């Protein structure tokens, strides 16, 4: 079982280095030119990253491999999935299909590093009552539509039986699940 998150191809959004005429790669954009930053562009320092292919084990046996494209949202969408499956009892497909959300309350990893203090981007399917509750608590809510957030895919394996399973995100018609 493997989880991988291929990434790249963001040249259209990468800033051009003034005077040099080339763009920073997808991950090099995540460095800061502020020497005090933990992600400063200095030898031997690693910037934060959004690549988070995930493998869930139980007693050393693989149970779930999952991943998602999506920059800063990857960890947030995967956390929703893991909480729903491991704590909430959802099937992997139910967890992926459930309404998604993410915060924008931290400076973005990628240029131009925008952020919205208290920001929350939510699918409308979260429901008017829940969304109104977030707004009452001071969140700056952006409604993204009904099926717009998340791109997770996951595979599962039952260690007791060897039964394989898969789940894919219907959003954006980008993912699919297949097995053999």
């Amino acid at each position: 079982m493997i989880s991988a998150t291929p990434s790249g191809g963001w040249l259209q959004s990468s800033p051009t280095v003034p005077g040099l005429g080339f763009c920073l790669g997808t991950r090099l954009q995540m460095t800061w030119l502020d020497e005090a930053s933990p992600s400063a562009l200095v030898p031997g320092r690693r910037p934060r990253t959004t690549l988070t292919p995930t493998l869930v084990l139980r007693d050393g046996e693989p149970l779930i491999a999952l991943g998602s494209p999506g920059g800063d949202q990857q960890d947030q969408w995967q956390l929703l999935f893991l909480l729903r499956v491991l704590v909430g009892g959802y099937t992997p497909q139910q967890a992926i299909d459930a309404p998604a959300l993410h915060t924008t309350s931290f400076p973005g990893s990628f240029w131009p590093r925008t952020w919205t203090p208290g920001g929350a981007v939510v699918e409308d399917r979260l429901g008017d009552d829940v969304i109104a509750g977030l707004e009452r608590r001071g969140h700056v809510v952006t409604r993204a539509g009904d099926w717009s957030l998340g791109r997770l895919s996951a595979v599962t394996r039952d260690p007791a039986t060897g039964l394989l399973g898969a789940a894919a995100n219907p959003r954006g018609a980008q993912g699919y699940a297949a097995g053999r």
Side-chain angles (χ1 to χ4, degrees), residues 49-74:
T49 184
T50 63
L51 294 175
T52 54
T54 301
L55 184 61
V56 177
L57 306 175
R58 181 182 297 142
D59 299 324
E61 292 287 325
L63 294 178
I64 306 169
L66 66 139
S68 174
D72 291 325
Q73 290 75 42
Q74 289 176 13

Side-chain angles (χ1 to χ4, degrees), residues 24 31-37 39-41 113:
L24 299 177
T31 60
W32 290 68
L33 299 180
D34 173 1
E35 292 180 15
S37 170
S39 292
L41 181 58
R113 303 189 194 284

